[in-house]
Amino acid sequence: MLAVVTDDGISAAREDVLAELLCLKGERRAFRIGTSLFNPVDRPGWFAVDPEFRKGFLPAGSADVVDNGQHNPNSRLTRGFAGTRFTYLHWHNYPYVEMCDRARQS
């Protein structure tokens, strides 16, 4: 799940995500999601910060190289990365029934 680190905490509200995207409008570099939050299986409802696990995304029409996992994509328009206030929530802790449904769908 994509979320934004706001002045009031972490938000996945549509208006906060759209506001952050609007702040990035016109940028030509690849974007970096600076933090990822992992939901450990043995700690439901809790997230661990992993500052070493990054995700990235690109401005429209700028795809050059996109690595498997979208960790370090490159923009063909301008080299380098622009930091964002986005964070990526990795949900690894699902109820058993939901895990079975996801497995069947994949």
Side-chain angles (χ1 to χ4, degrees), residues 6 54 78-79 84 90-91 106:
T6 70
R54 295 182 180 96
T78 304
R79 294 288 175 211
T84 71
H90 291 261
W91 292 91
S106 65

Side-chain angles (χ1 to χ4, degrees), residues 84-95:
T84 71
R85 296 189 325 157
F86 284 115
T87 187
Y88 189 75
L89 282 72
H90 291 261
W91 292 91
H92 293 287
N93 191 344
Y94 295 103

Side-chain angles (χ1 to χ4, degrees), residues 4-5 8 10 18 20 27-28 34 40 44 52 57 62 68 79 82 86 94-95 97 102 106:
V4 180
V5 179
D8 296 321
I10 296 171
L18 292 175
E20 180 64 10
E27 177 62 60
R28 299 167 53 94
E52 300 301 318
F57 61 104
S62 71
N68 187 18
R79 294 288 175 211
F86 284 115
Y94 295 103
V97 172
R102 286 172 173 259
S106 65

